[in-house]
Amino acid sequence: YAGPNGWYNFGEVRAELANPAKTRYDFKGGFRLITHTFTAVSESNNLHVLTLDFESDTVTPGVYEASAKGDAGAKKVQVSFGDVSGKKIRNWTSAAKSGTVTVSVVNGFTYFKLRGVTLEPNGLHNTGDLKHPMTVGFEGAVSPQ
């Protein structure tokens, strides 16, 4: 949970692969806008990254469809998760109609919330047990500018 209680510009990611081992990624990390992309980075190792790409620096409250490409005007967002640990690039990205992201504004804070968004593997090193879809959830807030 993130918000005006002083814990803002942070978010929490929870993800699980649909592989037999049920590989999990859980972290709280810094959450910022970086050139059209809202990005959450793991504080513990900086090797896990969740991105919400709206292809715009400004988003309005509403429900956005997770899609292969972001388009804020069409209420679409690309959701992706990357793991670059072990000097290997593993990545998962949303496809069309793979879930929704809710954006809201409370007391000037922009909140992002998603649950159960499905991401498909597409990284260079997504092999073996890591070549399975991922289900990801996230909640985070960005402070007013």
Side-chain angles (χ1 to χ4, degrees), residues 1-83:
Y1 178 77
N5 61 359
W7 196 65
Y8 52 83
N9 288 337
F10 281 86
E12 185 169 358
V13 175
R14 294 184 184 198
E16 184 175 284
L17 290 176
N19 61 10
K22 300 291 185 201
T23 304
R24 293 190 56 84
Y25 293 93
D26 297 316
F27 68 86
K28 292 179 183 173
F31 185 50
R32 299 267 194 270
L33 172 64
I34 304 170
T35 313
H36 305 313
T37 306
F38 291 87
T39 305
V41 179
S42 170
E43 285 190 315
S44 62
N45 61 22
N46 293 323
L47 300 174
H48 301 137
V49 178
L50 175 84
T51 61
L52 306 174
D53 186 354
F54 294 87
E55 284 293 319
S56 175
D57 285 350
T58 57
V59 293
T60 57
V63 177
Y64 291 75
E65 178 187 320
S67 185
K69 182 161 175 54
D71 182 349
K75 295 285 190 189
K76 294 186 179 200
V77 58
Q78 181 189 57
V79 179
S80 63
F81 182 88
D83 173 1

Side-chain angles (χ1 to χ4, degrees), residues 82-98:
D83 173 1
V84 294
S85 61
K87 299 181 182 177
K88 294 184 178 180
I89 299 170
R90 293 170 293 270
N91 197 57
W92 293 264
T93 307
S94 59
K97 301 183 190 246
S98 56

Side-chain angles (χ1 to χ4, degrees), residues 89-127:
I89 299 170
R90 293 170 293 270
N91 197 57
W92 293 264
T93 307
S94 59
K97 301 183 190 246
S98 56
T100 59
V101 175
T102 303
V103 177
S104 57
V105 176
V106 178
N107 297 328
F109 291 81
T110 305
Y111 287 87
F112 298 84
K113 182 177 178 180
L114 59 111
R115 299 283 189 270
V117 172
T118 303
L119 307 180
E120 297 299 324
N122 67 353
L124 180 62
H125 295 283
N126 284 77
T127 58

